[in-house]
């Protein structure tokens, strides 16, 4: 009995301390989630001052569509109204080859006018048709990438639901090309010419070919399919993690310096999760003429693709 009493005297305070820390972690995650909702809304408001039809597509973070970042709650209308759709990675085919029922159920609650586009990483060739079918049944638009295209650097030969329609808004999109890595293209012109020879409805690329920005002339060419139909060109923007090859990166930056460079991004050695609510970071992303969002607007992109919005969760878990 004395031994048990001694154990409880030691263990209970530890359990209480751990419980307190877990509560704080949950509170921090919720607080960060609300700040990410606010950031996406603010980016949308800023961009649409210049172009009311500017398209906003956050990738992942499906919980952000709901009040208190909780899919059991009603929709967060400010967030829903700020976006045109949601992009998701590995939905019906996760790293174990299984469907992610949790996120699928979240996405089914999203209004039908908000397009869901899905990048599926399919390891087995035989699974491609099945994964496409599951996405279509859910009214989602899939992009299938295999092991040789893990880093989004290849233009697939096959286009799902290829068409000659004029695509002027996100709900019209029936397929898309996810091409944010330009390493396989010798020049910017090479990339533009090869993309222009395709009939994808939506092109997702970076603001730069290596260090060379795309111009309005470049985008005018990209916005026309080979068959003559119009299409959308959307620009990739990482708002949840800093990338050490970007122009904003300073030579002395590392995790903790500045302090809002908060956490290493597992699997991506060149990226660090940021405390994205910090004014310095937000100034890099939007709100002024030198910000990434303004450069994207000035270049003539149809919209922006906001990656790593799930950083709100990654920072504390």
């Amino acid at each position: 009995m004395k031994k048990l009493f001694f154990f409880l005297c030691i263990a209970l305070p530890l359990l209480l301390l751990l419980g307190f820390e877990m509560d704080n972690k949950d509170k921090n995650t919720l607080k960060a989630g609300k700040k990410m909702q606010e950031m996406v809304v603010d980016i949308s408001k800023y961009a649409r001052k210049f172009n009311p039809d500017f398209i906003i597509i956050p990738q992942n973070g499906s919980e952000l569509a709901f009040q208190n970042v909780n899919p059991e709650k009603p929709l967060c209308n400010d967030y829903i109204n700020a976006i045109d759709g949601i992009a998701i990675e590995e939905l019906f085919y996760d790293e174990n080859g299984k469907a992610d029922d949790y996120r699928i159920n979240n996405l089914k609650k999203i209004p039908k006018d908000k397009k869901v586009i899905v990048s599926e990483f399919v390891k087995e060739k035989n699974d491609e048709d099945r994964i496409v079918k599951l996405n279509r049944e859910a009214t989602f638009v899939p992009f299938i990438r295999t092991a040789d295209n893990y880093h989004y650097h290849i233009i697939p030969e096959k286009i799902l639901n290829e068409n000659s329609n004029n695509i002027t808004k996100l709900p019209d999109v029936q397929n898309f090309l996810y091409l944010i890595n330009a390493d396989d293209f010798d020049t910017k012109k090479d990339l533009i010419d090869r993309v222009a020879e395709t009939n994808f409805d939506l092109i997702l690329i970076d603001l730069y070919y290596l260090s060379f920005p795309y111009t309005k002339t470049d985008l005018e060419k990209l916005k026309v399919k080979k068959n003559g139909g119009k299409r959308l060109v959307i620009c990739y923007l990482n708002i949840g993690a800093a990338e050490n090859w970007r122009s904003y990166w300073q030579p002395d930056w590392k995790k903790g310096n500045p302090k809002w460079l908060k956490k290493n991004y597992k699997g991506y050695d060149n990226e660090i999760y940021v405390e994205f609510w910090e004014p310095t970071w937000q100034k890099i992303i939007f709100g002024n003429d030198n910000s990434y969002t303004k450069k994207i607007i000035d270049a003539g992109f149809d919209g922006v693709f906001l990656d790593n919005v799930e950083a709100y969760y990654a920072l504390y878990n």
Side-chain angles (χ1 to χ4, degrees):
M1 182 64 71
K2 287 182 179 179
K3 288 183 178 179
L4 178 58
F5 179 78
F6 177 78
F7 172 79
L8 291 174
C9 287
I10 299 297
L12 282 176
L14 288 173
L15 290 171
L16 289 171
L17 178 61
L18 287 171
F20 178 76
E21 289 177 349
M22 288 180 67
D23 287 345
N24 273 348
K25 181 180 76 171
D26 293 341
K27 288 177 183 177
N28 286 335
T29 300
L30 175 58
K31 187 176 179 180
K34 290 180 177 180
K35 287 182 181 293
M36 180 57 81
Q37 288 174 328
E38 292 171 3
M39 185 175 184
V40 172
V41 170
D42 288 345
I43 291 171
S44 179
K45 287 179 178 178
Y46 174 74
R48 289 173 180 171
K49 288 193 305 182
F50 302 96
N51 177 2
D53 298 321
F54 199 73
I55 295 168
I56 306 291
I57 309 172
Q59 176 166 255
N60 298 321
S62 59
E63 301 88 350
L64 294 169
F66 303 92
Q67 295 177 19
N68 286 337
V69 200
N70 181 352
E72 299 304 316
K73 300 288 186 180
L75 292 168
C76 177
N77 288 326
D78 285 348
Y79 187 83
I80 291 295
N81 292 335
I83 67 175
D84 296 271
I86 295 179
I88 296 288
E89 291 181 294
E90 300 173 26
L91 185 63
F92 286 97
Y93 194 103
D94 65 13
E95 59 186 15
N96 297 313
K98 297 180 179 180
D100 187 336
D101 291 331
Y102 170 74
R103 291 192 297 164
I104 292 169
N105 289 331
N106 291 350
L107 293 166
K108 286 181 177 178
K109 299 175 185 178
I110 304 298
K112 295 300 182 184
D113 63 333
K114 306 298 178 181
K115 199 76 170 183
V116 176
I117 64 174
V118 182
S119 170
E120 298 279 15
F121 176 57
V122 178
K123 297 176 184 177
E124 302 295 334
K125 189 77 174 175
N126 293 337
D127 284 326
E128 287 189 26
D129 290 343
R130 177 177 66 86
I131 300 306
V132 169
K133 183 174 183 290
L134 288 170
N135 274 279
R136 286 176 173 167
E137 288 174 350
T139 70
F140 303 158
V141 177
F143 173 79
I144 303 297
R145 87 189 199 278
T146 49
D148 59 343
N149 193 24
Y150 185 77
H151 294 292
Y152 299 108
H153 59 102
I154 293 174
I155 302 175
E157 292 182 7
K158 184 178 180 181
I159 301 178
L160 303 173
N161 286 345
E162 187 171 359
N163 63 84
S164 59
N165 301 343
N166 286 324
I167 308 300
T168 58
K169 55 187 184 298
L170 195 60
D172 298 335
V173 168
Q174 298 184 47
N175 56 68
F176 69 105
L177 170 62
Y178 202 143
L179 188 70
I180 58 171
N181 186 326
D183 288 350
D184 284 5
F185 302 91
D186 293 333
T187 62
K188 185 172 70 167
K189 183 178 183 302
D190 178 36
L191 185 148
I192 293 169
D193 289 346
R194 288 169 63 182
V195 172
E197 284 295 304
T198 71
N199 290 319
F200 288 99
D201 288 349
L202 182 153
I203 308 297
L204 171 60
I205 59 173
D206 200 87
L207 177 59
Y208 297 92
Y209 166 83
L210 303 181
S211 61
F212 303 99
Y214 291 102
T215 65
K216 285 188 176 182
T217 301
D218 296 333
L219 291 178
E220 285 171 3
K221 186 170 184 178
L222 289 172
K223 288 182 180 182
V224 181
K225 304 179 196 178
K226 181 181 180 181
N227 58 30
K230 295 179 181 179
R231 65 172 159 215
L232 300 171
V233 183
I234 306 295
C235 187
Y236 175 91
L237 177 59
N238 191 339
I239 68 170
E243 300 159 319
N244 66 11
W245 66 90
R246 297 292 185 182
S247 58
Y248 57 72
W249 190 270
Q250 301 300 310
D252 61 338
W253 280 12
K254 59 184 178 180
K255 189 181 80 167
N257 181 38
K259 64 180 182 179
W260 45 265
L261 289 174
K262 198 66 176 178
K263 183 179 179 181
N264 289 330
Y265 192 153
K266 186 177 179 180
Y268 294 85
D269 294 338
N270 296 325
E271 298 186 42
I272 299 176
Y273 284 118
V274 300
E275 291 180 332
F276 48 83
W277 55 87
E278 282 293 320
T280 303
W281 175 250
Q282 295 212 349
K283 186 177 179 181
I284 289 170
I285 298 299
F286 74 100
N288 60 88
D289 286 348
N290 198 42
S291 66
Y292 258 79
T293 300
K294 187 57 162 60
K295 290 176 181 177
I296 290 167
I297 294 166
D298 290 345
F301 283 91
D302 295 303
V304 68
F305 183 94
L306 305 176
D307 196 17
N308 281 316
V309 297
E310 75 275 20
Y312 81 89
Y313 182 85
L315 285 171
Y316 300 105
N317 296 273

